[in-house]
Amino acid sequence: MNANAIYKQRRVWQPQHINNIEIAYRDASAFSLPAHFHEELEITIMQGSNWKFDYQGSKFIVPPLSFTLTQPGEVHKASFNSQINCRFHGLRINTSLLKELTQETIKHVRGLPLFSTPVVADKELSKLILTFHKLVENFNTSILKQQSLLFQIIEKLILRYTRNSPTLKNIGNFGSALAKRVRRTYILLAMYIKRARCIFLRKHCVNALQKNKFTPAGMLPIKPLTFDL
C-alpha cells in the first residue's frame, strides 16, 4: 500500500516529523459531528461545499475555501450534506507551540491569542493552508519546507486575526488613568473624614466650654473644603 493510500485511511493522525500538530482528514458527501471540543487551536477548511458550523452560541454557513478558527476548549458542531464528494481538512495546533509563536510575533503578549472571528475568508491564507496539507500528504516532501510553511501560516493568523495587541494597549492606558483617579478619590475621602472629625471635636469642645461659660480664644470657623477630580 502506498503512502497516499495510508494517508487517506487515517482520519486523525500526527505527522512523523512535525511535533505539536495533528491532522484531520475526511472525504465524503455528508457528515455530522456532534458537540465536542479540542485542547488545540483547530483550523478547518473544506473544498467543494458550504458547511454548517455552530460555535459560541452562533450558527455560521462556511463557504468553500473559507476556514474556521476554533479556540482551544471551545465547544462546536459541524455538518454538511452535498450531492458530491467534498474534502475536509483539519489542522490542530498544540497550545504550547501557539503560545511560543504568539510571544515571538507579538512581544508583550503572554498566553494564548484571542482570535477576532471564527470564520475567515482569506484567499492567501486558505491557499497556504491547503498547500500545507498537500505537503504533509506527500511523505517525500522536505520536512523543513513543511515546518517553514506551518510557521508562516500561524504567524499570518496571529498578525491578521488576533485581538491581543490593541486590546492590551487600551487596557493599559485606561488602567493608568483609572489608578490616578482612584488615588485622588481616596485622598478626597481622607480629607473629608479628617474634616468630619474636626467638626465633631469642635462641637463637643464648644458644648463643654459653654457649660463652663467660657469661650476660648483662637477657635476659628472651619472653611468649606473643595477638591477637583
Side-chain angles (χ1 to χ4, degrees):
M1 185 178 293
N2 62 33
N4 189 54
I6 294 172
Y7 173 85
K8 289 186 176 182
Q9 282 187 350
R10 300 175 179 176
R11 289 194 171 180
V12 179
W13 62 289
Q14 293 178 326
Q16 185 176 357
H17 301 290
I18 305 181
N19 297 324
N20 295 316
I21 71 167
E22 196 171 70
I23 300 293
Y25 173 89
R26 189 183 294 262
D27 200 358
S29 60
F31 73 78
S32 180
L33 296 176
H36 65 288
F37 69 92
H38 309 286
E39 295 180 355
E40 307 86 3
L41 170 72
E42 184 177 50
I43 305 167
T44 304
I45 190 168
M46 184 178 290
Q47 297 171 278
S49 175
N50 293 338
W51 56 289
K52 298 177 181 179
F53 181 59
D54 292 13
Y55 182 71
Q56 294 182 334
S58 298
K59 297 180 183 296
F60 301 91
I61 301 296
V62 186
L65 301 181
S66 291
F67 60 89
T68 59
L69 293 171
T70 307
Q71 294 279 148
E74 286 286 350
V75 176
H76 56 286
K77 296 193 296 184
S79 64
F80 90 104
N81 197 332
S82 175
Q83 301 298 319
I84 60 172
N85 259 21
C86 300
R87 182 163 292 186
F88 165 96
H89 296 283
L91 171 59
R92 299 170 190 162
I93 301 169
N94 190 281
T95 54
S96 60
L97 176 60
L98 189 58
K99 286 179 183 178
E100 182 181 345
L101 293 178
T102 300
Q103 188 172 342
E104 289 182 6
T105 305
I106 308 175
K107 301 298 182 183
H108 66 272
V109 170
R110 298 292 183 272
L112 292 172
L114 178 62
F115 291 99
S116 58
T117 177
V119 179
V120 179
D122 186 318
K123 290 182 180 180
E124 181 193 7
L125 263 172
S126 294
K127 184 177 179 180
L128 292 177
I129 292 167
L130 290 173
T131 300
F132 176 74
H133 281 282
K134 289 178 181 178
L135 292 179
V136 173
E137 181 179 351
N138 184 350
F139 283 35
N140 297 320
T141 305
S142 162
I143 303 302
L144 182 61
K145 188 174 182 180
Q146 294 178 30
Q147 290 177 333
S148 176
L149 183 54
L150 174 65
F151 294 163
Q152 184 183 352
I153 290 168
I154 298 172
E155 181 185 36
K156 286 182 183 293
L157 283 172
I158 292 168
L159 289 175
R160 294 181 187 180
Y161 299 106
T162 188
R163 289 203 297 242
N164 289 65
S165 182
T167 303
L168 288 180
K169 286 181 181 177
N170 290 337
I171 289 174
N173 293 337
F174 174 75
S176 299
L178 180 62
K180 289 178 182 178
R181 183 156 187 161
V182 168
R183 283 196 296 269
R184 289 161 65 186
T185 302
Y186 274 116
I187 292 170
L188 178 61
L189 181 61
M191 293 176 71
Y192 270 110
I193 291 172
K194 185 176 180 181
R195 179 173 181 268
R197 290 180 62 186
C198 290
I199 293 173
F200 175 81
L201 291 173
R202 181 177 184 276
K203 179 180 177 182
H204 281 268
C205 287
V206 168
N207 288 340
L209 291 168
Q210 284 178 345
K211 286 181 181 179
N212 295 323
K213 297 183 179 181
F214 175 77
T215 303
M219 183 167 285
L220 301 177
I222 297 175
K223 296 181 180 179
L225 179 64
T226 59
F227 190 90
D228 294 326
L229 283 175

